[in-house]
């Protein structure tokens, strides 16, 4: 009986600690309505191409279709390439363009309380932990050596916070943080872009803001 009483007190304590006047913008979980979304973001990481290892910084955009735990994306990105030893005042190594498609799956979806920078509780939002992968092509332009075009595959893991907006919550906005590994065949060198049996592994961190309805 004492154990039952203690458990009841703990349960009531947890329930009473939960705010009851916060707006709930998490939306339905699960959500069986299809949503079209667009997103833009910034990306940075280490770009690998044969013996070349550059710092890559740039931007990316996507158009996607979201259905419950699944999100299909068509993505594009452009990044500038710079040797790590160079300062920001030195000329850039070149740039890379990337385009492809991804499929992501949310392995975890839950409602959490969002807080402001000051720590004030503001709303109940949705939080997703997802995994994904995809494929595409990238075009690398080095100055002045030449150009490399090659296919790639990628694997990613990410964390997303999503909140509903607009009339009856039909629209939403999301902040997404992702870590991505991109694998592609390595070239012999910048001047000889013939691919080898070696595999490059580019690692990128991306922060994206998405909007859907």
């Amino acid at each position: 009986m004492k154990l039952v009483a203690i458990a009841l007190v703990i349960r009531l304590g947890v329930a009473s600690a939960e705010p009851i006047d916060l707006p709930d913008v998490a939306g339905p979980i699960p959500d069986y309505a299809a949503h079209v979304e667009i997103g833009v973001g910034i990306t940075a990481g280490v770009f690998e191409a044969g013996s070349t290892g550059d710092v890559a910084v740039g931007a990316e955009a996507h158009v996607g279709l979201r259905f419950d735990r699944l999100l299909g994306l068509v993505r594009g990105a452009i990044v500038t390439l710079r040797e790590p030893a160079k300062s920001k005042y030195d000329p850039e190594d070149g740039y890379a363009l990337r385009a492809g498609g991804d499929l992501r799956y949310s392995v975890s979806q839950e409602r959490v309380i969002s807080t402001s920078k000051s720590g004030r509780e503001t709303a109940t939002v949705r939080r997703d932990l997802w995994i994904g992968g995809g494929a595409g092509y990238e075009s690398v332009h080095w100055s002045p050596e030449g150009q490399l075009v090659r296919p790639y595959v990628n694997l990613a893991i990410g964390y997303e916070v999503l909140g509903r907006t607009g009339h009856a919550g039909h629209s939403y906005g999301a902040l997404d943080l992702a870590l991505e590994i991109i694998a592609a065949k390595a070239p012999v060198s910048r001047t000889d872009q013939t691919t080898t049996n070696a595999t490059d592994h580019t690692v990128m961190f991306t922060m994206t803001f998405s909007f859907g309805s």
Side-chain angles (χ1 to χ4, degrees), residues 45 138 149:
E138 66 179 5
V149 178

Side-chain angles (χ1 to χ4, degrees), residues 166-192:
H167 178 66
H170 291 314
S171 301
Y172 65 85
L175 170 64
D176 193 278
L177 304 176
L179 181 64
E180 181 178 22
I181 298 176
I182 302 168
K185 289 294 185 181
V188 175
S189 67
R190 289 190 184 183
T191 55
D192 182 358

Side-chain angles (χ1 to χ4, degrees), residues 59-62 73-79 96-102 134-140 149-154 180 182:
E60 82 157 49
H62 74 253
L73 300 173
V74 176
R75 301 170 61 196
I78 179 171
V79 295
L97 301 171
R98 187 177 295 121
D102 281 29
Y137 277 86
E138 66 179 5
S139 177
V140 187
V149 178
R150 59 182 179 175
Y152 71 84
V153 294
N154 68 284
E180 181 178 22
I182 302 168

